[in-house]
Every structure is written in C-alpha cells, then in structure tokens.
Amino acid sequence: MGELYVICQNGEIDDGQASGFSLMRIESTGEPKPWHILITRKGNQFFGFENACPHMGERLDANPGEFLDEEGNFLTCGHHGAQFDLDTGECFIGPCQGKKLTPITIVVDDGDVCLTGVELAEEDEFDDSEGAPEVMITSD
Ligand code: FES
C-alpha cells in the first residue's frame, strides 16, 4: 500500500453526511494539479470519490443547499440534478443514470480518514510564489 494522507478525523463527518476537500495531486507528468474529492459516510464506513459528476465533469457541490438530502441517503449534483448513492457513488436518477463517481481508496487509521493510492503535493509544492524569480529594482 502506498503512502497514507490524512484528510480529516472520522468524527468530522457524521453518518449520512459528506464533505468536499480540495487537494493537489501529482500527475503522471510530475506536475501538481488541483484535485477535488468527496468523502461520504454511511454508518461507520467511509467512502471516497472524485468530486466530478460523470455527466459533465462538474463539481457536485456547486449548490451546497441541495447537495445532500435531509436523510443523508444520496448526493445531488447542483448542475442538472443527478443523484448518487452515498456508498457506491452510482447515479440512480438523472442525466448520467447508471454511471458512477470515480472511487478513491479510503483507509480509516486510528480515527483518521486517510486516502492512499495517489501522490499528493506537499503544500510548498503548490505555493504560487515558489519558483518566481525575485524582482530587483535597480536605478542607474
Ligand atoms: S454536471 Fe452533474 S448532473 Fe450535469
């Protein structure tokens, strides 16, 4: 198993809830790229998905008020209303019915919800200012 990256504590997401996280993933080219994920919880189990709707690739939580139903049974994409199971990520109604959110591997380790199977950038690897040449103002 690859490196574990702690995303949150298991107590931060209640049963029937979901949270979105914005990370930086190292692509196969070696470049860091923004990567949006969702962690959902059903009972004591946690599930991870890329936060990209299979319909048009948009983030599901564009409309946070409609993102989760009151009973915590499904996620709703804020763009065209596709609805997904919290645990399987399968779209059961909507324009991408039958398709699934892309799963990511979640491991719960001693109360930490972690993801693995990817390489994330260290924070200083995506600092915009890094690598920028220092500007020196000189006067002749
Ligand atoms: S982009 Fe999600 S339903 Fe259209």
Side-chain angles (χ1 to χ4, degrees):
M1 185 160 52
E3 191 168 345
L4 291 181
Y5 298 95
V6 177
I7 304 301
C8 62
Q9 306 288 300
N10 61 1
E12 289 176 42
I13 305 175
D14 291 330
D15 183 15
Q17 297 293 307
S19 284
F21 299 89
S22 294
L23 308 170
M24 284 296 239
R25 185 172 66 174
I26 304 287
E27 299 287 290
S28 53
T29 59
E31 290 294 308
K33 201 174 163 200
W35 191 46
H36 306 288
I37 67 161
L38 295 168
I39 307 238
T40 66
R41 177 174 181 169
K42 212 164 183 182
N44 273 330
Q45 284 192 291
F46 292 82
F47 306 90
F49 304 101
E50 292 192 358
N51 189 356
C53 181
H55 179 216
M56 293 179 70
E58 305 283 349
R59 285 173 65 172
L60 272 71
D61 51 357
N63 193 347
E66 292 177 12
F67 177 52
L68 261 173
D69 69 305
E70 277 181 18
E71 284 81 38
N73 289 321
F74 55 86
L75 304 172
T76 302
C77 177
H79 293 275
H80 313 102
Q83 296 185 331
F84 301 87
D85 282 325
L86 230 50
D87 49 358
T88 65
E90 185 166 346
C91 176
F92 59 90
I93 193 163
C96 44
Q97 188 171 357
K99 293 192 177 169
K100 283 186 169 185
L101 299 173
T102 303
I104 57 180
T105 307
I106 294 295
V107 176
V108 180
D109 181 40
D110 197 22
D112 292 329
V113 179
C114 310
L115 69 82
T116 188
V118 294
E119 190 185 349
L120 297 185
E122 300 295 331
E123 258 179 54
D124 59 2
E125 287 182 61
F126 56 90
D127 181 346
D128 281 340
S129 63
E130 194 193 78
E134 252 185 60
V135 177
M136 290 178 64
I137 300 174
T138 56
S139 60
D140 289 326

